[in-house]
Amino acid sequence: MRRRISTLLLTILTTIAGLVLLGLVLMITRLVNIESDLGVLRDSVLPRLAKLSQLSQEASATISIAPALGANPTRFEFETLLSRIKDKESSQKTLIQEIEGLVSDETSARVLGENSRLLTANLQALTDVVGHQIAVRMRLEDHIEYFRRVARHLSATASINPVTESNDDGITSGNSVDGGPLATSLAHSILSTLLDPNSARFSRNKAEIEAEFKLAGQALGPRGQPAPNKIDAPAPPPPHLLSYWSSERAGILEDKRDELANAFKIKALAEENSLITNRLLNSASNEFWRASADLQAQIRAVEAATRFALVALLVIVAAFAAGNFLVWFVLKRRVFERLNRIRDALQIFVERRQRPPADTLDDEIG
């Protein structure tokens, strides 16, 4: 049975089928691995890279908001910046939530979340302070405009017709508020204090104003009248300077203190914003590089699986080709050539009635 042609062909074809089947199994296994690796890339690594890139862009864009808030924005500019901040807060919160679901390292996810929450809290505190600062500056602008108008009135009066007035003893004095140098100095001192951004000079300026105010009050006596409340009112007579300062002094000084304190807070919060944003960018950058490393590892795995599948496919093709050649060779040597000899022997027997030698192989044809 071992020498039969059918047994030999069956062995060859079974071997070919086994090799082809083994190669197909290995290739399919690798293709499944490739599909799995591509699924990881599609569902985890690539979305994580994209979200981290967006988070970096959002954080970088946030850096420009804090300096803009600290640059004395107008009410309209503040509202625009506030709208931008709300957009950034919403987008960053969404991105952090999505990244936390994609990051396998709990520590990295926690650091990103904490830095994002700190940045949101910092921006909220900064907007609150800037909003308060704008309100304070609007009130101070009203007072500054009033004192400017008084100073211009005093300067114009002093240059055209210096006024003197008599006291109860009939002695004239040049220190009245009606264009006198004392009133002009008082108006300019108040303006200088309200416009001075240096908090260290505030106490000294305040003391100088109080001293000049006391001298002006002694010079004028009970002549002061209530100050107007509207900026667009006609320029008031100089004696109103004292009554205006007397009635508005506490509010003006309190607003100035708030302005100086808010300016310091804005500067501190802006610096803190820069630090928090840099920490958020660093943590996002670190996670981005980790995701990039994961991407490279997945790409290498896919490339290795692809090469293995290609080799397996080449082995299958080579085994199939070798098997076909072997089948052809066996059929040629063991079947076709011997059948040709049998045909020739039968032809000789027909023509010459001579019997050629028998086939020596002990198989179906022999």
Side-chain angles (χ1 to χ4, degrees):
M1 292 293 295
R2 288 196 302 272
R3 298 182 62 183
R4 286 189 175 185
I5 299 174
S6 59
T7 303
L8 180 60
L9 291 176
L10 177 62
T11 303
I12 295 173
L13 294 175
T14 302
T15 304
I16 294 173
L19 290 175
V20 171
L21 181 61
L22 178 61
L24 288 174
V25 170
L26 293 176
M27 187 171 65
I28 291 173
T29 302
R30 285 300 183 177
L31 291 176
V32 171
N33 291 336
I34 291 174
E35 183 181 7
S36 176
D37 293 336
L38 292 176
V40 173
L41 288 175
R42 182 187 64 250
D43 299 332
S44 178
V45 179
L46 292 178
R48 181 156 41 119
L49 283 171
K51 299 301 180 184
L52 287 169
S53 178
Q54 292 178 19
L55 180 62
S56 298
Q57 293 176 0
E58 293 291 335
S60 299
T62 305
I63 295 178
S64 63
I65 296 178
L69 285 172
N72 299 331
T74 62
R75 172 62 66 177
F76 176 76
E77 293 172 341
F78 176 71
E79 295 295 337
T80 302
L81 291 172
L82 186 60
S83 176
R84 286 184 57 193
I85 289 172
K86 296 299 182 184
D87 292 339
K88 298 301 179 185
E89 288 179 0
S90 177
S91 60
Q92 287 183 14
K93 183 177 180 181
T94 302
L95 284 173
I96 289 295
Q97 290 176 349
E98 293 176 349
I99 291 172
E100 286 177 345
L102 296 172
V103 175
S104 57
D105 188 0
E106 295 182 358
T107 303
S108 300
R110 185 175 67 254
V111 170
L112 284 172
E114 289 177 355
N115 287 331
S116 177
R117 286 188 289 273
L118 286 174
L119 183 60
T120 301
N122 173 271
L123 288 174
Q124 183 61 50
L126 189 57
T127 52
D128 292 342
V129 175
V130 172
H132 184 223
Q133 182 77 323
I134 290 175
V136 169
R137 281 177 178 164
M138 290 179 65
R139 293 195 297 268
L140 285 177
E141 284 295 330
D142 293 346
H143 300 305
I144 290 171
E145 180 63 23
Y146 172 81
F147 288 116
R148 279 176 177 164
R149 293 170 63 182
V150 170
R152 287 195 298 267
H153 175 78
L154 290 172
S155 299
T157 303
S159 62
I160 295 174
N161 183 23
V163 179
T164 60
E165 54 175 57
S166 301
N167 58 17
D168 295 339
D169 298 329
I171 300 175
T172 60
S173 172
N175 287 336
S176 74
V177 186
D178 292 332
L182 181 60
T184 303
S185 175
L186 177 60
H188 285 292
S189 296
I190 295 173
L191 274 175
S192 176
T193 300
L194 295 182
L195 295 174
D196 192 351
N198 193 318
S199 59
R201 292 193 292 264
F202 178 68
S203 298
R204 186 190 66 187
N205 294 338
K206 177 183 173 183
E208 292 177 355
I209 292 173
E210 293 296 336
E212 292 181 1
F213 177 74
K214 185 176 181 181
L215 290 176
Q218 292 174 354
L220 282 178
R223 290 186 64 227
Q225 299 178 2
N229 293 326
K230 296 183 179 180
I231 297 176
D232 57 353
H240 286 182
L241 174 64
L242 298 182
S243 60
Y244 186 91
W245 178 253
S246 298
S247 61
E248 302 291 340
R249 170 181 171 277
I252 292 174
L253 295 178
E254 182 66 25
D255 285 341
K256 185 59 182 178
R257 276 192 295 268
D258 288 345
E259 182 191 33
L260 296 174
N262 289 336
F264 178 80
K265 291 178 182 178
I266 290 172
K267 182 179 179 180
L269 287 171
E271 293 176 355
E272 182 184 5
N273 180 275
S274 178
L275 292 175
I276 296 173
T277 304
N278 287 331
R279 285 203 300 268
L280 179 60
L281 284 173
N282 288 334
S283 58
S285 177
N286 293 335
E287 185 58 34
F288 183 86
W289 288 116
R290 277 194 290 270
S292 298
D294 293 342
L295 176 61
Q296 295 297 326
Q298 293 293 333
I299 290 175
R300 287 192 294 269
V302 171
E303 289 176 346
T306 303
R307 285 194 298 270
F308 184 87
L310 181 60
V311 170
L313 180 61
L314 292 176
V315 169
I316 292 172
V317 173
F320 190 75
N324 287 334
F325 176 78
L326 185 58
V327 169
W328 172 83
F329 182 79
V330 169
L331 290 175
K332 180 177 180 295
R333 295 293 300 273
R334 296 291 297 271
V335 177
F336 300 138
E337 290 181 357
R338 295 167 67 193
L339 288 177
N340 287 337
R341 288 198 297 269
I342 292 174
R343 181 197 61 195
D344 295 339
L346 289 174
Q347 185 68 29
I348 292 172
F349 180 78
V350 169
E351 293 176 354
R352 304 176 186 176
R353 293 293 188 260
Q354 295 178 0
R355 180 178 179 186
D359 193 276
T360 58
L361 295 180
D362 185 17
D363 56 19
E364 295 93 334
I365 297 177

